[in-house]
Amino acid sequence: MTPLAFFRSSWWLSRFSMVWGCVCIASVMVPGIVLWLLHLNHSFGIDIHNRLKPASGIHWLGTDPFGRDTLSLSLVAAVNSFTISVASMLAALFIGGGIGIIAAEMGEKTKVLANGAVELGIAFPPVITAALLVTIYGAGVIQEILALAIFFIPGFIRLSQQAASTILAQDYIAAARLAALNTRQIHFQHVLPNMVPGLLVQFSVNVALAILAETGLSYLGLGAPPPLPELGRLLASYQVHIFDHPLLVAVPGSIVLLLVLGINLLGDGLRDLFVRQETRA
């Protein structure tokens, strides 16, 4: 195999994407988790005497208008935003996946109802849902997770319903029914294992979208209240210094870019890997 053919091969490209995706995510999350643990019992203190300091050996990327280390605060905010995004996607995956499988199992009438619920859910963006939840219950992490999950549940319903319908129409499912396997055994032994690749790829893509949506919600003030730092709130508070101290906006913005890029690369690598395994099978 020539070097060019090796570079173009799906095997190499899938692992290249996965490796660099993991590198991008780890470059943010590993130091972020360490700093998050260090500041677990106390928030970042305000030091007016060191406000808006330039980059130095103590503060690698300078300080913000409250004298807090810009890089450390942004990394901790990235951990919070990433955790909220993953938690919301896990909720959307389990709820949407379960509803989709039930709809595929129970027949056409249930599919029609599920499709109607999907269309209705897509009609409401997360900003409207978050604004409604904040108005009723106040701002908080749970409200933000619910707003993101509600928006992404319809996509998982549609994907899982289509995948489950295709799998349930296969001959080996009919053979499993003739072998006296009940519905629960068929789902856990045959349906769910074959749905995992598609759902995993969709989950990774949606986590990247959820980070962008979470950043937008917190930017608009619909996220978790202070003192919990979030990337969107940092961008909102730093935007007034975009011309005199552009590094304040560049740091959290670059972290959002790295997280989204890393998750997308990881998702692309997983997709190529699953396609290659399916082709070989």
Side-chain angles (χ1 to χ4, degrees):
M1 178 182 292
T2 64
L4 183 59
F6 176 77
F7 180 80
R8 290 179 176 176
S9 65
S10 59
W11 179 90
W12 191 88
L13 286 177
S14 62
R15 280 153 181 77
F16 177 84
S17 297
M18 292 175 64
V19 168
W20 280 106
C22 292
V23 168
C24 291
I25 297 171
S27 65
V28 174
M29 296 306 298
V30 171
I33 291 174
V34 173
L35 291 168
W36 185 85
L37 292 174
L38 291 176
H39 293 86
L40 185 61
N41 296 322
H42 62 280
S43 59
F44 285 84
I46 297 176
D47 187 2
I48 299 299
H49 298 290
N50 287 320
R51 64 187 302 269
L52 298 176
K53 291 290 185 180
S56 63
I58 300 177
H59 304 288
W60 292 359
L61 295 178
T63 60
D64 70 355
F66 296 99
R68 300 170 298 187
D69 187 85
T70 303
L71 180 59
S72 299
L73 185 62
S74 299
L75 289 173
V76 172
V79 174
N80 293 329
S81 297
F82 184 82
T83 303
I84 290 172
S85 301
V86 171
S88 63
M89 287 307 97
L90 286 174
L93 173 63
F94 285 110
I95 297 173
I99 295 175
I101 294 174
I102 293 172
E105 180 70 35
M106 296 186 66
E108 291 298 326
K109 292 183 179 180
T110 309
K111 289 181 182 179
V112 172
L113 293 175
N115 289 331
V118 167
E119 299 298 334
L120 183 63
I122 294 175
F124 291 93
V127 173
I128 296 178
T129 307
L132 179 63
L133 291 173
V134 168
T135 302
I136 297 175
Y137 301 105
V141 175
I142 301 300
Q143 290 85 336
E144 190 174 10
I145 291 175
L146 285 176
L148 292 173
I150 290 171
F151 179 73
F152 285 97
I153 282 175
F156 283 111
I157 293 177
R158 177 171 292 174
L159 176 64
S160 60
Q161 177 184 327
Q162 293 174 350
S165 298
T166 302
I167 295 169
L168 290 171
Q170 300 300 315
D171 293 336
Y172 62 84
I173 298 296
R177 297 186 192 278
L178 291 174
L181 293 181
N182 58 37
T183 302
R184 183 180 61 84
Q185 290 173 325
I186 291 174
H187 285 169
F188 280 97
Q189 294 180 20
H190 298 287
V191 178
L192 286 176
N194 287 290
M195 290 175 59
V196 166
L199 289 176
L200 188 59
V201 172
Q202 185 68 26
F203 177 83
S204 64
V205 172
N206 282 357
V207 168
L209 295 175
I211 289 176
L212 293 176
E214 191 277 336
T215 302
L217 290 177
S218 58
Y219 178 86
L220 295 174
L222 298 174
L228 187 72
E230 290 180 311
L231 291 171
R233 190 184 306 113
L234 293 184
L235 289 171
S237 61
Y238 294 164
Q239 64 181 354
V240 295
H241 299 282
I242 190 171
F243 295 111
D244 53 347
H245 293 86
L247 199 60
L248 285 175
V249 179
V251 173
S254 300
I255 288 176
V256 173
L257 176 63
L258 272 176
L259 284 177
V260 174
L261 176 63
I263 294 170
N264 281 327
L265 286 174
L266 182 60
D268 289 343
L270 288 173
R271 181 197 59 200
D272 295 339
L273 183 63
F274 290 142
V275 168
R276 183 171 178 272
Q277 289 178 348
E278 183 178 355
T279 303
R280 291 181 60 184

